[in-house]
Amino acid sequence: MSERLVMERVMENLIRLRLPGVRQTLSDVLDAAQSSSWSHLTFLDRLLQEETQRKEQRRIEAALHSFGLPFVKTIDDFDFSFQPGLDRRMVMNLFDLTFMERNMNVLFLGPPGVGKTHLSTSLAVKACQCGKTIHFTTMADLIHRLGTDRSAGWSNVNRRPYQWANLVIVDEVGYTPIDREECNLFYRFVAMRYERASTIITSNKAFDEWAELFNDTIIVTAILDRLLHHSVIVNIKGDSFRLRGLKEKEEGKNMET
Ligand code: ADP
Ligand code: MG
């Protein structure tokens, strides 16, 4: 059989076997194998590497899509020089994900625009790359979901990602006040995950403001007790990244006058 026909058959089989990565890189890898005199094993290894990496990338993209993240950003996209008050080492340490092995929680606190959602999302991307399941929700959506599940007698709870995901991110705790009933629901959620799996919380409110926000000092104390028992608290005190252009403009204006 001529080389050309063999190549055609190989290409057809690669389609049948669903190996698009191999199909795309075959001719380059063949050239490299020839010019560098690779062993058969090295040749096969390079080909399979291409395919594996491609499939892994796809898996991560599909998974990230299904987790409900507001955007996909990584820690490489985070400009630490913009937040000089932030403990970079403490943040970077989180990315070894030992906090998840220990079922610890992470709390990102600070005013709007300082990167709380960005950092949470970056941790989600990292956890996803390590094969973990993630559930991203806002506080408002979580409370709504918990309310519906309670009305159904909690019969669906084991199927809910807020229950089973390896990592749950509750974004924007404190943006809207919640009543006593809702506070109870949130307590139930926190207690459900306590010492069993990690949760990341972002909030624009300091803990001493939570009591007022949740309308119930006793339950808030119980919530914070469990949330903070095994936790890393990251306080971000700097400027809003969203308003950075505005600030520069303001400064420019001040200099002109
Ligand atoms: P927060 O959740 O604290 O309100 P976000 O994480 O949503 O703030 O950040 C607002 C926007 O600014 C996002 O697009 C985010 O990616 C970006 N951002 C915030 N801080 C930084 C930073 N230090 N470096 C790069 N981008 C940042
Ligand atoms: Mg946010």
Side-chain angles (χ1 to χ4, degrees):
M1 205 187 226
S2 75
E3 281 271 295
R4 191 176 58 80
L5 285 177
V6 173
M7 189 51 122
E8 272 174 20
R9 194 165 71 181
V10 167
M11 287 300 184
E12 272 169 29
N13 282 334
L14 289 174
I15 293 175
R16 228 173 269 161
L17 292 169
R18 294 181 211 285
L19 296 170
V22 174
R23 194 165 190 274
Q24 205 174 7
T25 49
L26 180 59
S27 81
D28 286 348
V29 180
L30 271 172
D31 288 346
Q34 208 144 37
S35 58
S36 309
S37 312
W38 285 348
S39 67
H40 293 101
L41 188 62
T42 305
F43 169 70
L44 184 63
D45 176 51
R46 294 294 159 97
L47 270 186
L48 295 184
Q49 272 299 98
E50 293 287 343
E51 189 64 46
T52 311
Q53 276 167 8
R54 197 184 159 110
K55 289 211 155 62
E56 182 61 9
Q57 192 57 32
R58 283 277 162 80
R59 183 194 68 77
I60 291 169
E61 276 164 22
L64 285 173
H65 188 71
S66 71
F67 295 151
L69 299 176
F71 47 71
V72 174
K73 287 193 181 176
T74 70
I75 193 63
D76 295 335
D77 304 318
F78 193 81
D79 180 3
F80 278 93
S81 67
F82 187 78
Q83 266 340 318
L86 181 61
D87 187 341
R88 182 184 184 141
R89 206 162 52 164
M90 183 196 201
V91 172
M92 291 314 292
N93 279 344
L94 292 171
F95 284 81
D96 66 12
L97 301 183
T98 43
F99 81 92
M100 287 185 69
E101 277 164 35
R102 297 180 189 158
N103 300 325
M104 289 169 73
N105 302 319
V106 180
L107 293 100
F108 290 109
L109 306 179
V114 292
K116 301 182 297 297
T117 306
H118 186 139
L119 291 171
S120 310
T121 305
S122 309
L123 282 170
V125 172
K126 175 73 188 189
C128 177
Q129 286 164 347
C130 295
K132 305 289 184 195
T133 50
I134 322 288
H135 176 58
F136 185 100
T137 177
T138 60
M139 179 67 162
D141 287 347
L142 175 68
I143 294 292
H144 179 75
R145 166 55 65 199
L146 289 165
T148 321
D149 288 350
R150 183 187 46 195
S151 305
W154 299 112
S155 55
N156 287 331
V157 76
N158 288 334
R159 274 189 272 143
R160 295 296 181 222
Y162 65 69
Q163 209 273 125
W164 56 252
N166 298 133
L167 179 64
V168 172
I169 298 168
V170 186
D171 201 21
E172 300 184 350
V173 174
Y175 279 66
T176 44
I178 62 173
D179 64 25
R180 192 166 282 196
E181 276 299 291
E182 294 170 332
C183 193
N184 269 308
L185 289 173
F186 188 55
Y187 170 75
R188 190 182 167 110
F189 162 79
V190 170
M192 198 188 288
R193 295 187 63 82
Y194 175 61
E195 292 192 330
R196 208 182 51 74
S198 292
T199 306
I200 297 179
I201 303 273
T202 81
S203 180
N204 60 340
K205 297 279 192 303
F207 296 130
D208 53 4
E209 294 170 281
W210 281 38
E212 194 186 330
L213 186 82
F214 289 140
N215 285 304
D216 190 322
T217 324
I218 294 172
I219 302 187
V220 167
T221 309
I223 290 173
L224 286 176
D225 200 47
R226 280 165 183 72
L227 265 186
L228 304 184
H229 184 197
H230 313 285
S231 66
V232 179
I233 300 165
V234 183
N235 264 302
I236 317 176
K237 295 210 173 72
D239 294 325
S240 167
F241 194 82
R242 289 194 193 97
L243 303 180
R244 70 195 182 290
L246 216 64
K247 201 180 167 209
E248 277 156 22
K249 255 190 237 161
E250 278 294 314
E251 277 165 3
K253 225 193 287 171
N254 290 343
M255 273 173 8
E256 279 161 29
T257 52

